[in-house]
Amino acid sequence: ARAVVQRYNAAAAWVVAHGAAVRIAPDLIAAGVPVHITVHDDPAWGNALLTRRYLALAPLLARDLNHSLRGARSIDVVSAPMARRYSTRHGVASAIVHRGLAGPVPPSPRYDRRNGLSVAVLGSTYGLREVSVLAQALGLLAERLRLPTRLTVIGGVDEASVRRLCPPGVALEITGHLAEPDGVARLRSSF
């Protein structure tokens, strides 16, 4: 990280606290680089703990996030509860930033029963229990309505676990991360 900052003679760095960036931010701060941090999902107690994917790394992520937040020049978060939590837990102030689109989203196309029932979920999915409830409900609808049914998950998810939870009557599609316009288009095409 330091080499990149030096190579480009960067005046500052913007770190989105997700994945490996959580580990890089303390190094930038230690190097004296002014850092702005964006937090969408708490890396340790949101992402690692709830997904169980990086559970063993939660204490390390929490330590690095704490160090980074305390050393950052500025911080933005996605909600007032997160801002309050970080103020209490880390003693830092943060701005609340709600992501948005440049313009209005066109209305979804009119529902046509012949296309079946398609439901889409966008975002990092932490609660597999909730996804399971949704998948089971779609399975019941597929049976009762005798319609082809699809569940689309856009974003981060433990794919193997979701596939195990999904009943046989529901086609499951996991797209992973999509660019925002593509994600919006997929949501619009779902029921």
Side-chain angles (χ1 to χ4, degrees), residues 1-58:
R2 290 181 199 201
V4 172
V5 168
Q6 290 169 348
R7 182 173 12 156
Y8 291 101
N9 195 27
W14 178 10
V15 175
V16 177
H18 189 77
V22 178
R23 300 283 314 167
I24 293 169
D27 189 41
L28 291 170
I29 291 167
V33 176
V35 172
H36 171 81
I37 296 182
T38 294
V39 186
H40 292 157
D41 300 308
D42 185 281
W45 311 121
N47 198 344
L49 185 65
L50 294 175
T51 64
R52 306 246 187 263
R53 212 156 109 200
Y54 303 110
L55 188 56
L57 297 177

Side-chain angles (χ1 to χ4, degrees), residues 62-73:
R63 182 201 70 197
D64 286 347
L65 181 67
N66 178 57
H67 178 76
S68 299
L69 291 175
R70 289 175 184 240
R73 293 275 176 97

Side-chain angles (χ1 to χ4, degrees), residues 6 13 17 20 24-25 29 39 41 55 59 75 77 79-81 91 105 111 118 129 132 145 151 171 175 178 190:
Q6 290 169 348
I24 293 169
I29 291 167
V39 186
D41 300 308
L55 188 56
I75 303 162
V77 296
S79 69
V105 174
Y111 174 67
S118 174
R129 193 172 32 207
S132 176
L145 299 176
L151 172 59
T175 67
L178 294 178
S190 296

Side-chain angles (χ1 to χ4, degrees), residues 99-167:
R99 293 182 63 200
L101 300 172
V105 174
S108 295
R110 189 173 176 90
Y111 174 67
D112 184 346
R113 182 183 168 98
R114 293 173 297 184
N115 295 331
L117 180 61
S118 174
V119 173
V121 177
L122 174 84
S124 294
T125 307
Y126 302 123
L128 291 181
R129 193 172 32 207
E130 291 81 0
V131 174
S132 176
V133 169
L134 176 59
Q136 298 304 316
L138 288 173
L140 289 172
L141 282 170
E143 250 178 59
R144 290 182 184 163
L145 299 176
R146 296 194 172 136
L147 287 174
T149 305
R150 171 180 299 279
L151 172 59
T152 301
V153 179
I154 304 167
V157 68
D158 178 351
E159 186 168 341
S161 295
V162 173
R163 289 204 182 281
R164 281 193 301 275
L165 298 171
C166 206

